[in-house]
Amino acid sequence: MEPIAPASSGHRMPVALTLFGILVIVVIAIGLLIHFALPGGFKGVISAQSLPQELYGASLIASVEGKSSVYTRQPFWYAARRVPGAVTGASTNGDVILARTEAGYSVFEGNTLRTQVNQPIEAPSIPPVVSAIMYAQQVQNEDLESTGPRTGGSRITNPAHWQIQLLLANASSATPVIAGYAPLFIDDSSFLFVAADGIYRYTLESGHITKLLDRVFPVVVTPVIQSPDRTLIAFRDLVTRSTSIYQLDADSLKLVMEMSEHFQSPTLSNTALYDVKGTPTGAEVWKYPFDGSSAEMIHVFPRELAITDIVF
């Protein structure tokens, strides 16, 4: 019996070329995916990877020439949710993002657009289990000349001129809940809101109201922001010109600290306040720890990324 001759290198060559061709196609596909997933392409991926770990769960908002995108972090890059119009604010809850524009709002789940409504709203909030959207609706005309114009995602406003609305997931219209502004869900059954004479907690099932903070709010600046664990809130007082950070403690709000710095686009983590400051060279991310240590610039997004906000 004659021995079987080994396959010649000529037979192996087409297989090797085929495998090499497949590898090249895969690499190109991954490169194109990364390039189009984030403005700035590969530069965007590098910038994302260098964010501090406590911001890994945050989303990025990029706005340029009236067009916006909301990006959430994936293992190696950020996935894009295109949003019609210029985003003026956003709320996140896990994989769900509510992006607000001048014309209305869009709700994304994963990379899927779940809801898009062409109805302007203010100060939206979503509960831990996403079954509703809560927002404020103007019920009295305000004198914007005296209370100030809209600037970006903020509006100087009188809380007494607004009413909180609750829109259930399957409902065609919202239900008025109570007079007030800037509702923030604490859990699935209760929320905080700002009134002219303080901050209250409202229980949806019973309608029970508890006053948590006795403080006069002739005007406030929105958005009132909230930490990811929903235990911290922050707002700016136009009388003292300071930003106050409070911790929800049982049935009261305890002052954590007051800060006199001017913030452009603040957001809260569970341990610090972060601010995105636009500069001619890019967007600087500044960290203001709650332990009293000095503020520090921790990151700069390149200008071409057009990053304007970080949100939890």
Side-chain angles (χ1 to χ4, degrees):
M1 183 175 181
E2 296 183 3
I4 300 175
S8 67
S9 60
H11 289 91
R12 292 195 298 267
M13 186 63 69
V15 176
L17 288 174
T18 300
L19 293 175
F20 179 75
I22 293 174
L23 178 61
V24 169
I25 292 173
V26 170
V27 170
I28 292 174
I30 292 175
L32 290 173
L33 179 62
I34 292 175
H35 178 73
F36 290 108
L38 189 70
F42 288 95
K43 290 184 180 180
V45 173
I46 295 171
S47 296
Q49 294 291 345
S50 65
L51 282 173
Q53 188 163 356
E54 64 182 297
L55 290 182
Y56 278 10
S59 300
L60 308 177
I61 295 178
S63 296
V64 58
E65 297 180 353
K67 299 179 181 179
S68 300
S69 296
V70 179
Y71 300 91
T72 54
R73 188 182 177 91
Q74 307 300 313
F76 302 106
W77 59 80
Y78 272 75
R81 280 92 162 165
R82 303 294 178 182
V83 181
V87 170
T88 57
S91 301
T92 63
N93 181 10
D95 206 30
V96 176
I97 296 176
L98 187 153
R100 179 168 56 88
T101 67
E102 293 281 359
Y105 64 92
S106 302
V107 178
F108 297 89
E109 186 168 6
N111 286 317
T112 303
L113 176 64
R114 183 203 282 186
T115 305
Q116 183 172 323
V117 178
N118 293 323
Q119 173 187 343
I121 63 174
E122 291 286 340
S125 179
I126 48 181
V129 177
V130 183
S131 57
I133 297 171
M134 184 163 282
Y135 59 90
Q137 185 176 54
Q138 191 173 5
V139 292
Q140 294 185 33
N141 291 328
E142 294 192 84
D143 180 7
L144 294 183
E145 185 176 348
S146 62
T147 59
R150 169 187 285 277
T151 55
S154 299
R155 181 194 291 277
I156 302 172
T157 185
N158 186 331
H161 294 173
W162 294 77
Q163 188 174 61
I164 294 169
Q165 306 276 330
L166 177 66
L167 178 63
L168 298 176
N170 298 321
S172 58
S173 60
T175 301
V177 180
I178 193 170
Y181 200 80
L184 293 173
F185 275 105
I186 304 170
D187 49 41
D188 292 313
S189 60
S190 61
F191 63 92
L192 302 182
F193 70 95
V194 176
D197 62 343
I199 296 179
Y200 291 80
R201 178 174 186 161
Y202 186 99
T203 303
L204 286 169
E205 185 174 347
S206 64
H208 181 69
I209 303 173
T210 304
K211 192 171 191 178
L212 304 181
L213 181 66
D214 189 9
R215 182 166 176 170
V216 176
F217 289 101
V219 291
V220 295
V221 169
T222 62
V224 178
I225 55 177
Q226 186 178 40
S227 62
D229 64 5
R230 300 177 186 261
T231 63
L232 297 168
I233 66 169
F235 56 84
R236 186 176 179 222
D237 189 318
L238 293 182
V239 177
T240 63
R241 300 290 179 179
S242 64
T243 296
S244 302
I245 300 171
Y246 284 88
Q247 181 175 25
L248 180 62
D249 182 19
D251 288 328
S252 66
L253 285 170
K254 182 189 300 182
L255 182 65
V256 174
M257 63 189 306
E258 287 193 340
M259 311 170 79
S260 58
E261 287 83 356
H262 173 69
F263 300 118
Q264 290 185 18
S265 300
T267 188
L268 287 178
S269 76
N270 298 330
T271 58
L273 183 146
Y274 293 82
D275 189 36
V276 180
K277 301 181 185 296
T279 71
T281 58
E284 299 177 351
V285 182
W286 284 77
K287 178 181 180 180
Y288 300 82
F290 297 150
D291 61 7
S293 53
S294 300
E296 59 176 332
M297 187 178 68
I298 61 170
H299 188 69
V300 179
F301 285 105
R303 182 181 178 182
E304 58 265 27
L305 296 184
I307 300 298
T308 58
D309 295 271
I310 296 175
V311 293
F312 284 100

